[in-house]
Structure formats: C-alpha cells, structure tokens
C-alpha cells in the first residue's frame, strides 16, 4: 500500500505577483489549466491506485485546498500546521499518521508545487522506488540534469544498489556555475528533487536513530491531534518542533539510502524563468498565458496577464507579469531577484505581498473593485449552499445588489430572498447574514459606505466555518 | 493686438495607451500637473496680454477642453471642426474670424500639444515675430537643434532679415540620421516648430495668391458659421476643404517669410521618449510620474502608472506605461513604433485605441469598474449643477447608490433627493434623470442588470448639452 503524502507548503515568493502569501505557488495554474496542487493530487491518485493522499499544509490553506480539489473523485485528508516548520516535522507527523493507517505502509512524499511533464516515466520510477522502500531503503528521486543549474542541490551517485537505483555518495549544496558545469560533464550527479519514498516504519526508525528529540516531540504532538472530518489540526505545540529539513535531519546521516536517477521532465518552478520554460514558445521564443497581447519584434519574452491588453515593442529576454494590482517587468535571467521585491513589499507593509484583489474565503471569494475615501465596492461570490457568518459592523452600512443566483438575507429581524436585479440595505449595527440558497453561484455587488471600512470592523455571532472568536 | 490661435488637434497615437482618440495628447499632463492644453493656454494669455485665445479643435473635444480650462480667469473661444482637415483650413478659418475681430489683427498660431520650458525666451521670440508680422512677414518659429533629430522637418536659414530673424532658404522634410547630423554641424538649420505669427490680412493674402480655391471654400464655410455662446460650430461643408498643411498650402510658396531661430527648450512630445526627457531623471537615468514603484538595478527606464504597484528588475532603456485597461512595455529607442500598436488595435476593433476606462461626458465622467455577463458596474461622477439627459433604457435596470454629494433623481413620476449612503432603483423602461443639486462632486455607484448592457441602449428625451437626436 503506497500512501501519497503531499507537502503543500512552498510560498513561491519568487513567483510574485501571481503567487502571494494568501494564494501561494501550489494554487498557480502552470502548464495547462490546472493548479500545481491539482496536478500533484492527480499524479498521487494515479500512482497509488487511488489511495486518498494526505496533504500536509498550513491551516490557512485548508479551505482554498478543499475548494481546489472539490471536483476530484477521491478527496485527500488534511494535516494542518499552525505554522510551517520545514519538511522534517511534517514528514515525521505524516509517518506517525501513516503507520497508524497500516503498519507496513509505504509513503510517497511529493511537494505540491512541482511540475512533472513525463508522468509515465515518473510512475515507473515510483514503482522502482517502492520495491526498494519495501526492502528498508530511504529512497530519493534524483533528476538527471539537463543543464548546469545553480538553483538546485545535487546528489553524487555511487555504485548501483539495484538495476534502477544507486548509492548516495554525498549531498552537495547549490553549486556555483563552474561546479555545476563539472557535475553535468561528470555524469554521476543528479538534482535532488525533494521527493521521497520509504516505509513509515523505516523513516520513523531513522528519526529515532538520527534525531530522537524531534521524533519524541512529534509523538507528543501526534498524541494530542484529533481527526475532524477530513482534517487533523495539529496543536500549537507543533510550532515548538525543530525547524529543519528532512535532508539535514535524516537523509544526510542515514546509511540505508538510495537514489533513483529519474528522467521525467521535472521542474520545481522555482522562478518565472521556469514558468516560461514550461510553456511552448513561438518561433521567436516568446511565451504567454492565454491573454490578449500585441507583440512587435520581441524575443524570448514571457507575458502573463488577466484581462488587460499588453503591448510590447522590441523586448528581449524579459518577463512581463501583470495582475490587477501589481505589475512586474524583469530581465528573465534575473528572475531569482523577485524575492527581493517581495522583501521590500513586506518591509514597507504593502498589502500586495500578502493578498490579491480577489480574496478567498471558506464561503467563496470577494474582490475589491474600488477602495476610496468613504466607500468601498466589492464583488462577492458565494458558493451554492455556503453562508457567510452572522455578523455586524459598527462603522459601515452596506448596499447589496444581487446580480446572479439566489440569496437569503437575514437583515436585523427580517429574512428576505433576493434574486438577480434585487437589492437590500444593511444599516450599520444590524445583525445580518448572507446565504446562497440556489444551485448556482451567487454573485452580488456590495457598496459599503462609512467613515471606517477596514476588514476588522466585523463582529461575528455564528459561523459554520468556526471563525467566531 | 496679438490674438493667440491654439490648434488643438494632435491625436498623439504614439503616446498610447495614455493618449487615446477620446482623450488625446493635448489633455495629457506632462512636465508638471497641468495638461499641455492648459500650459499652451496660459502661455497664450501671458504673451498676448490676456487676449482670449481662439481654440480650433474637433467638436468632440469641446466639453473636455471646456472642463480643462474652466479654472482659467480668461476663457477661450472655440471654433469646432466636424472633422480634422490639417492646419491650412483651420488657419484660414481662424484668419477669417480674426480679421473680423480687428482688421489689423496679428495672429500667433500655437499647437496645443507642445511643451516649452523656457517661456521667457519664447515670449521674447514672439515679440520679435510680432514686429516682423506687422511689417507684412509670415513668421515661422524655428528651434535650434540640440541633437541630430530625425523626427522633425528642418528649415535652412539664409541671410538676416532683421536682428533676430533670417530668410527661409528652403524647407526640408524629416532627414535621415546622417543628413540630420550634417544639418546640426552646419549650424544654419533649425527645426520647424509648427508655430507661426502673421497678420490675418497677410495670411489671407497669401491664401488668395497660392491657394485661392481653398480660401474661397473657407469663406463659404465661414459665411454659414454662427457664434453660439463661446463656440462656433463649423458646418459640415468644412469637411470638403482640402486636407493640407499650412506649410504645403502657403509657406513653401510664399516669398515674404522669415524664421526666428528660437532657443526656448521646446519639445513637440512626439513620443514616449520625449515624455521621459521632459521629466527630471534620477542618478540612474530613470524617470517616473508620481507613482508607486520598486526599481531594482535598472537604468534609463521610464515608468508611468496610476494606482497599480510597478516593480522592475534589471531593465535598461525601457518604457513601462501602465493604464487601467492597457499596458505598454517598449524599448525606449523604438517609441515611434507605438503608432503600429494603435494601428493594430484599430484594425482589430479593440476599444482601447479609442476610450479609457474613465470616459468624459459633458456632465462629468463615468468609469467602468466591471463589465461582466448580465451586469455592469460604473462609478459616475457628476459636476455641481450638472445634469444627465432625461433618458430611458429598454434592456437594463439600474441600481444607484450615492457615495458622496447630493443627487436629485427623477424616476418615472417621482422625484427624490438622495445623499451619501442612500440608494434607488430605476426599472427598465422608466424615464429617469440624475442631477447634482449640491455644491460638491456627486459620486454614485451604478449597478446595471440586464441581458443587454451596451451604451447604445439609451433613449434621450431632453438634454442640456444638445445630445437629443
């Protein structure tokens, strides 16, 4: 039994302005219409014979992940971290969960934010890995280098362990360009993909040997974790676990490790350059998402936008990444430095490192269309059956106009049902609640009026998503 | 008596996406907070001792020009063309008007879309020109070249006519780079600025001599033109006049011409490169309007945006021109080619060559905040005292929420007054009218609902701006 463990953590700050704290890299649609998380989930089902994966992610991403995967036939379970502690604590907890499912469970650990284009080759590599894992190996997936990349850790491989796997000679940190070129030439180096396969019992034994304190602390966390529907919320004590990667905590010390050198067209989509490379280019090397552009005499340039028209003239090797509230124009060869932009945004307290203009909520989304002194306009989209909390605002009144779907509105003592082209008014101080009682998405336009329009002017009385303090 | 004639025609297609058909170059704010039109108007008043200028422009720009200049102490008169016919017809009509004001009127012809930074030098040049004009000369303003520009026509100057003016040896078309460099080296060439000074009688005599047919046709147009308040609407027959520049029609044939070589830091703002050059650059040569940017290791790059954050990394000599619905990123040295973008937009019927997301109307502006199937959201801003037409829509209902100011709303048989945080509903088929009855701007949010939401679903019954068919 192969249990897929999906680590959905990567913030993807180098993919700003599309990836943001509240909508990070696993939710980005790259290489087709599906998000990286969905693609990973589908690979997990395929390779495990439809075993429900465990997704380990931050609790803030639970509803977003849930919505993202709601059309999947087999749904995952969730293990929710109160804060990210790198891969070792996550894998330790996942192993404690897996061994409880089945004592000889075999885990396939996959980050949620990787792109794999040649899935048949990947599935073959997993089969080989699973066989070794059953024999007590900790198996790493290496990726045969296609160029002298400096952005990855490398694994130097030694003698064969089996027909398809080799001994791990040593782990090497991200090399400089000269060293990377040498690794490529020597041929016995692979990129460290961050994917693993091992029995739950094997990795727990390895923790016990090489990092017993971490395992001990993880057990205590696990013992106070309860399953609630499809999710397990890890308690606050998880945050006290050592912030350390599985490579440092275990892999670099263990003896029973092996690497399978894979060749499955893999990318960790580390930066915009990799996104561009994942999209078929035109004759001039230009790439774009499905957007409206006018391109005059430009080469090797990646353009990405939503509903704005983008015209470019005479560009070479650039990135143009356009979102409703922030625009990035950068030399493609310097796409790593996008991280610096995000750092500066954080330092200045600018919202655009954190949220998009469209914000996901458990019940749907809202989009700020205009935020001006004295008023704010939002488009609110509520999923069928979903309901906002019963709430009240001290400082703002709200005018609601339904533009599609069917709303039930509790407004003070009254309850009304509104359909498209009907409106209502919620005075400041009135308790109110919005529910989608139709079978299609409910869309409404909210015009807020008041002297203070911050999101924190909200008193919640009841909430089906547990958001009442 | 020096009468300023302001030719406000230039479409400025090379300044897309800020300059658009419905909001062209004269209205752009360059070199400070004022529009080029306002700057030209203020120069006109200064140099003429507060003589009200005549603005010759397209009838579509009357209200926009009027609003733009509403805070000027001395207001212009308007001569409104049904369609643009280049400079010769406009100048002929302006001369017929001017000579009627005063038989020996002297005209100073100034395009509305030029930037002049050294106004004292310009005023001195105008004084010299006026003296020559009184002696019966057609006076051109030349600009001493500061570089081998290929974007301008040149004038080769001969002997001195007076202390400050020289004979025009010949006009030369836009030269290639080698020729331009030679002109610069030889020193007796100036750029042809497109500004002129002459007596109305002198230019009319010149038309009579060199293009009598045009003059005859212009006289017929003039005879059926009536003054209506501050404006003269030229009749449709104007459109039959020859589409020709004053240079071709008169200047290149006339004998009594002279050129004053000026040195007043002039730019015709022909393309974005010139806009960037008109703004003080930082130590790296970067320029921007007053906008939010993060600039990492970039040089000679011009950034212009409204409310979006723009981050750039590793750019060199680029233009980033961002507007709510269209973005231009271009090599600065190829800013002439923006024209080609506009041609392609026109060919494809894309709205963004014509209108902005904010559209000016006689009564104020509207901004489309969202245009989606089944509904459209607008922010409507009405000037104090202004009133929309009494109108009706067949296919859409409208929900209005006032967010600031005071509105009088006629809605079917009822009339109500609404203030901030009040709303009303206009069902499809209801006659309605919106008037700002307060002393401050009236702002309201309109949510339109209906199966058809085109601007042409409007029946106008009464309109104070004469827009009823």
């Amino acid at each position: 039994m192969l249990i897929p463990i999906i680590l959905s953590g990567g913030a993807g700050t180098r993919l700003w302005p599309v990836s943001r704290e509240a909508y990070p890299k696993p939710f980005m649609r790259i290489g087709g219409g599906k998000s990286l998380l969905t693609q990973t989930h589908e690979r997990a089902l395929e390779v495990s014979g439809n075993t429900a994966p465990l997704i380990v992610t931050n609790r803030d991403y639970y509803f977003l992940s849930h919505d993202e995967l709601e059309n999947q036939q087999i749904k995952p379970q969730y293990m929710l971290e109160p804060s990210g502690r790198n891969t070792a604590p996550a894998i330790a907890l996942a192993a404690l969960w897996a061994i409880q499912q089945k004592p000889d469970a075999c885990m396939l650990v996959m980050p949620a934010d990787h792109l794999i284009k040649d899935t048949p080759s990947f599935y073959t590599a997993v089969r080989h890995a699973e066989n070794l894992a059953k024999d007590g190996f900790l198996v790493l997936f290496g990726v045969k280098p296609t160029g002298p990349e400096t952005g990855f850790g490398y694994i130097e491989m030694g003698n064969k362990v089996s027909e398809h796997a080799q001994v791990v000679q040593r782990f090497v940190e991200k090399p400089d360009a000269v060293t990377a070129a040498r690794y490529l030439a020597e041929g016995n180096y692979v990129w460290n993909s961050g994917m693993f396969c091992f029995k739950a019992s094997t990795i727990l034994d390895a923790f016990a040997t090489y990092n017993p304190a971490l395992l001990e602390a993880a057990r205590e966390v696990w013992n106070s974790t309860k399953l609630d529907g499809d999710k397990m919320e890890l308690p606050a004590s998880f945050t006290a676990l050592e912030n350390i990667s599985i490579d440092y905590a275990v892999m670099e010390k263990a003896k029973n490790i092996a690497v399978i050198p894979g060749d499955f067209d893999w990318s960790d989509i580390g930066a915009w350059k990799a996104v561009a490379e994942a999209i078929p280019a035109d004759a001039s090397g230009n790439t774009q998402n499905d957007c409206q552009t006018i391109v005059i005499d430009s080469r090797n340039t990646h353009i990405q936008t939503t509903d704005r028209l983008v015209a470019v003239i005479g560009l070479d090797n650039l990135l143009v990444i356009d979102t409703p509230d922030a625009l990035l124009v950068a030399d493609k060869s310097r796409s790593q430095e996008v991280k610096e932009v995000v750092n500066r945004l954080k330092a200045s307290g600018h919202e655009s490192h954190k949220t998009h203009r469209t914000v996901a909520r458990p019940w749907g989304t809202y989009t700020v269309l205009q935020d001006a002194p004295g008023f704010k306009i939002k488009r609110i989209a509520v999923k069928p059956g979903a309901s906002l909390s019963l709430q009240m605002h001290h400082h703002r009144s709200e005018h609601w106009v339904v533009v599609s779907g069917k709303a039930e509105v509790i407004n003070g003592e009254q309850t009304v049902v509104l359909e498209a082209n009907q409106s209502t008014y919620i005075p400041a101080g009135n308790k109110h609640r919005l529910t989608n009682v139709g079978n299609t998405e409910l869309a409404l336009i909210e015009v807020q009026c008041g002297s203070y329009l911050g999101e924190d002017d909200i008193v919640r009385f009841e909430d089906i998503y547990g958001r009442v303090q």
Side-chain angles (χ1 to χ4, degrees), chain A:
Chain A
M1 183 182 173
L2 187 67
I3 302 184
I5 310 291
I6 298 174
L7 304 181
S8 187
T13 50
R14 286 168 299 177
L15 296 172
W16 181 91
V18 173
S19 173
R20 302 195 187 180
E21 206 172 293
Y23 189 85
K25 192 176 153 197
F27 301 99
M28 284 176 65
R29 278 144 182 74
I30 295 172
K34 292 175 178 171
S35 70
L36 292 172
L37 174 62
T38 297
Q39 294 177 53
T40 306
H41 186 261
E42 291 181 349
R43 281 198 301 273
L45 293 182
E46 179 80 21
V47 77
S48 69
N50 284 332
T51 304
L54 178 73
I55 295 183
V56 186
T57 190
N58 190 284
R59 61 165 63 151
D60 290 344
Y61 304 134
Y62 169 68
F63 287 108
L64 201 54
S65 306
H66 196 270
D67 288 355
E68 186 58 37
L69 301 172
E70 71 176 345
N71 294 322
Q72 298 286 313
Q73 290 220 327
I74 292 175
K75 305 284 198 299
Q77 292 235 327
Y78 293 91
M79 180 176 272
L80 302 177
E81 301 174 329
S83 67
R85 303 304 290 162
N86 211 326
T87 49
I91 289 173
L93 267 301
L96 291 167
W97 169 82
I99 205 163
Q100 191 171 299
Q101 307 300 301
K102 202 156 183 261
D104 64 347
C106 192
M107 302 160 66
L108 174 67
V109 178
M110 317 159 79
D113 56 356
H114 290 180
L115 193 66
I116 292 176
K117 284 199 181 162
D118 183 358
T119 46
S121 294
F122 174 65
Y123 298 153
T124 303
V126 173
R127 289 283 84 80
H128 299 322
E130 195 179 359
N131 288 334
L132 277 169
K134 282 176 182 158
D135 290 342
F137 278 92
L138 300 169
V139 187
L140 290 79
F141 292 86
V143 175
K144 290 180 188 160
T146 53
E149 275 291 335
T150 57
F152 302 132
Y154 282 67
I155 295 170
E156 184 183 352
M157 302 184 296
N159 293 335
K160 287 214 166 185
V161 174
S162 72
E163 197 187 336
H164 304 288
Q166 288 170 253
V167 159
V168 173
Q169 207 75 13
R170 63 179 177 120
F171 290 88
V172 278
E173 296 284 333
K174 295 175 184 176
D176 60 28
V178 174
T179 312
R182 184 164 61 78
Y183 291 168
L184 184 65
E186 291 184 8
N188 59 328
Y189 287 83
V190 286
W191 297 333
N192 186 354
S193 74
M195 295 188 289
F196 309 95
C197 187
F198 34 63
K199 283 201 293 182
S201 59
T202 312
I203 191 72
L204 289 172
D205 286 349
F207 272 113
T209 308
Y210 304 110
N211 207 326
L214 176 59
L215 181 62
E216 191 51 40
R219 269 192 211 283
E220 279 179 33
V221 168
W222 177 241
N223 288 337
S224 53
T225 299
K226 281 188 294 285
L227 182 67
D228 170 19
D230 64 354
K231 65 183 195 284
M232 295 167 275
E233 289 235 29
L234 298 175
S237 55
F238 176 81
T239 303
L241 264 60
E242 193 183 0
N243 193 341
I244 187 171
S245 74
I246 190 72
D247 295 271
Y248 283 127
V250 172
M251 298 298 166
E252 299 195 3
K253 299 166 183 165
K255 308 295 174 216
N256 54 334
I257 59 172
V259 58
I260 294 187
D263 203 0
F264 35 76
D265 203 351
W266 168 93
S267 169
D268 79 337
I269 308 288
W272 282 111
K273 186 168 182 287
V275 175
E277 285 164 0
I279 297 174
D282 69 14
S284 306
N286 297 317
T287 46
Q288 61 175 71
N289 68 346
D290 184 25
C291 63
Q292 231 182 348
T293 59
I294 291 181
V295 177
I296 295 180
D297 193 25
S298 296
R299 284 162 304 284
N300 304 322
T301 289
H302 177 68
I303 304 176
Q304 182 155 339
T305 179
T306 47
D307 58 356
R308 198 186 330 273
L309 175 89
V310 178
V312 302
I313 303 172
L315 304 191
D316 189 11
N317 207 46
L318 288 190
L319 299 163
V320 179
I321 314 293
D322 180 46
T323 68
D325 60 343
L327 166 68
L328 171 72
V329 183
D331 184 331
K332 204 193 266 182
S333 63
R334 300 177 64 169
S335 58
Q336 300 290 337
E337 292 173 52
V338 173
K339 202 169 187 163
E340 173 62 18
V341 172
V342 176
N343 288 342
R344 292 200 198 179
L345 289 173
K346 271 187 191 163
S348 70
H350 196 281
E351 272 298 294
S352 79
H353 80 277
K354 216 167 20 183
T355 54
H356 279 281
R357 246 181 34 150
T358 295
V359 178
R361 286 282 184 258
W363 43 261
T365 62
Y366 71 79
T367 305
V368 178
L369 299 177
Q370 190 158 64
D371 191 354
F375 72 99
K376 190 192 262 185
I377 309 169
K378 285 183 179 177
R379 180 184 189 281
I380 292 175
V382 187
K383 296 181 281 190
S387 185
L388 280 68
S389 58
L390 179 65
Q391 56 189 244
M392 187 268 277
H393 313 291
H394 289 293
H395 304 291
R396 68 179 187 249
S397 302
E398 296 178 344
H399 299 258
W400 291 354
V401 181
V402 174
V403 292
S404 73
K406 196 170 178 180
E408 182 193 81
V409 179
I410 297 175
N411 185 359
E413 298 303 308
Q414 291 195 305
T415 299
V416 292
V417 172
L418 301 178
E419 303 198 37
N421 196 24
Q422 296 187 311
S423 66
T424 193
Y425 171 64
I426 319 278
N430 257 31
K431 270 194 199 182
H432 59 280
R433 174 168 231 160
L434 175 64
T435 303
N436 181 349
V437 291
N439 299 316
T440 57
E441 186 182 79
L442 164 66
L444 66 80
I445 305 306
E446 172 178 281
V447 181
Q448 303 178 354
C449 294
S451 52
Y452 179 76
L453 302 168
E455 291 301 326
D456 55 349
D457 175 19
I458 185 167
V459 182
R460 288 198 177 103
F461 301 99
E462 285 173 40
D463 186 67
I464 60 175
Y465 312 103
R467 295 177 302 162
V468 182
Q469 276 73 34

